[in-house]
Amino acid sequence: GQNIKFDYRFTKVHYDIELRNLYDTMIVEQRLLQGADAYHNLVDIIKRRLKILPVEMNKEIRMEFVGKDRSYFNYNNSHISYAAGDIKYLFDVKAIQEPLIVKAKQELLIYDIELPLIPILADCELEGFVLNEEKWRKLIADNKEKKFLYQCKLDQGIKQLRKQLCTPHNAMYLTGGKFDRERQPLIPIV
């Protein structure tokens, strides 16, 4: 599906059905493009992957029936085609995405982490969960401290490497740069 977490929550709340073995073309597309400046809605994914713009997915058609009272509104074929368009191309997109997942070496991230998390996150959104705020704040503070220590270690490594590779006679020699200053710890957030 596309944004399948919505469908998971809807079917669970309204029909007491929990969907399993979920594949989300939107999440996969987000991971494949890794922050590239691209949209991840279904129409844009179809245009990008299938190189077509489906007529039945015209958003103006949707506006004809969204928010209407179902008992009085007469649906026509264009409305039904619009609804079918939301699933019509999903298998074609998935077929194109799957080899790209392998090519990008994203199998672990997508198949073992991202996709299995969908029902877990959806259930959390529906049911909520208990959060030990004090414990999380301590973990955040501890991790900030660890991050600072690793950054300092990395700074020292870069300084050593620079001393070995760069001299005043070498065009790569740097002075007064970031690594000539000592990193200052951040003020703890309370």
Side-chain angles (χ1 to χ4, degrees), residues 82-96:
Y82 177 85
D86 272 357
I87 60 171
K88 181 177 180 179
Y89 300 99
L90 291 175
F91 289 103
D92 296 329
V93 170
K94 181 182 181 208
I96 290 171

Side-chain angles (χ1 to χ4, degrees), residues 139-149 151 186 189:
L139 284 170
I140 290 167
D142 291 349
N143 283 329
K144 283 183 180 180
E145 177 65 23
K146 287 178 186 176
K147 176 185 173 187
F148 173 75
L149 294 173
Q151 287 172 326
L186 296 173
I189 298 172

Side-chain angles (χ1 to χ4, degrees), residues 169-181:
H169 306 291
N170 183 333
M172 289 177 49
Y173 186 76
L174 301 172
T175 59
K178 179 178 178 180
F179 300 106
D180 290 322
R181 300 184 307 269

Side-chain angles (χ1 to χ4, degrees), residues 4 9 32-33 37 43 47 57 92 98-99 102 112 125 128-129 132-133 136 143 160 169 179 187-188:
I4 195 73
R9 289 186 317 226
L32 287 172
L33 296 179
D37 190 19
V43 171
K47 286 194 291 190
M57 297 186 82
D92 296 329
E98 288 177 319
V102 174
D112 296 336
E125 290 175 11
F129 59 93
N132 182 332
E133 186 177 346
W136 276 102
N143 283 329
Q160 288 297 101
H169 306 291
F179 300 106
I187 299 170

Side-chain angles (χ1 to χ4, degrees), residues 68-158:
K68 303 291 189 221
D69 185 339
R70 291 184 302 199
S71 57
Y72 299 109
F73 185 76
N74 291 322
Y75 293 95
N76 63 40
N77 285 341
S78 68
H79 302 132
I80 295 166
S81 293
Y82 177 85
D86 272 357
I87 60 171
K88 181 177 180 179
Y89 300 99
L90 291 175
F91 289 103
D92 296 329
V93 170
K94 181 182 181 208
I96 290 171
Q97 286 178 332
E98 288 177 319
L100 296 173
I101 293 168
V102 174
K103 182 178 179 184
K105 296 181 169 64
Q106 295 289 315
E107 300 97 330
L108 174 70
L109 174 65
I110 292 171
Y111 294 124
D112 296 336
I113 299 172
E114 292 285 354
L115 298 179
L117 270 175
I118 295 168
I120 295 166
L121 294 174
D123 285 339
C124 286
E125 290 175 11
L126 288 172
E127 301 163 16
F129 59 93
V130 177
L131 177 68
N132 182 332
E133 186 177 346
E134 183 180 325
K135 182 177 177 179
W136 276 102
R137 289 196 181 276
K138 181 168 177 6
L139 284 170
I140 290 167
D142 291 349
N143 283 329
K144 283 183 180 180
E145 177 65 23
K146 287 178 186 176
K147 176 185 173 187
F148 173 75
L149 294 173
Y150 284 122
Q151 287 172 326
C152 291
K153 233 178 177 176
L154 185 59
D155 290 348
Q156 292 302 316
I158 290 172

